Amino acid sequence: MTTRSCPCGRPESYDVCCGRFHAGTAAAPTAEALMRSRYSAFVVGDAGYLLRTWHPGTRPGRLDLDPGTRWTGLEILGTSDGSAFHRTGTVTFRASYRGGSLHERSRFERVDGAWVYVDGDFPDE
């Protein structure tokens, strides 16, 4: 996966883009970057990263990913706040998988300086 573009849709390789967040050598600087890295974690099956980047108040005790799900693309539909100058942010996206798609408005917050996923809702199409 090191020579292809990142699963999140950015042109950089996985290692340069989301892989460094997954490996713990860098932290996502914005809510959108965290959301993209979480999508990539679903693609590569990194449940540990998903749990580590989940708000402690809403994080499940465990996360079992379906190995049969084939994620096929990510489209960012909108963002609100979520930069280095904010404490909260939202990212609205559509994540496609073989057989369908997931449309979500995700909420993010900074905890101890790091962006984490809080929760999300499913806006009407």
Side-chain angles (χ1 to χ4, degrees):
M1 180 160 266
T2 59
T3 58
R4 296 185 312 192
S5 62
C6 190
C8 80
R10 298 276 188 210
E12 296 87 9
S13 71
Y14 169 76
D15 286 345
V16 171
C17 194
C18 294
R20 63 196 172 112
F21 304 142
H22 296 173
T25 59
T30 65
E32 180 181 339
L34 180 66
M35 195 261 118
R36 286 179 176 279
S37 71
R38 286 177 56 83
Y39 170 82
S40 291
F42 276 101
V43 172
V44 302
D46 190 343
Y49 179 78
L50 292 165
L51 289 170
R52 285 191 308 277
T53 58
W54 210 311
H55 191 283
T58 57
R59 178 186 319 138
R62 62 182 279 175
L63 183 62
D64 297 317
L65 301 179
D66 180 355
T69 301
R70 296 292 175 244
W71 297 97
T72 59
L74 176 66
E75 179 184 5
I76 302 297
L77 303 173
T79 62
S80 175
D81 297 335
S83 78
F85 303 105
H86 299 107
R87 288 202 23 80
T88 63
T90 62
V91 179
T92 304
F93 67 92
R94 181 172 290 108
S96 299
Y97 56 89
R98 194 171 294 147
S101 67
L102 169 73
H103 181 197
E104 182 176 317
R105 182 182 311 112
S106 295
R107 285 177 283 282
F108 298 88
E109 183 178 306
R110 284 186 183 269
V111 172
D112 296 329
W115 285 107
V116 293
Y117 170 78
V118 176
D119 61 15
D121 57 42
F122 306 101
D124 295 330
E125 297 277 348

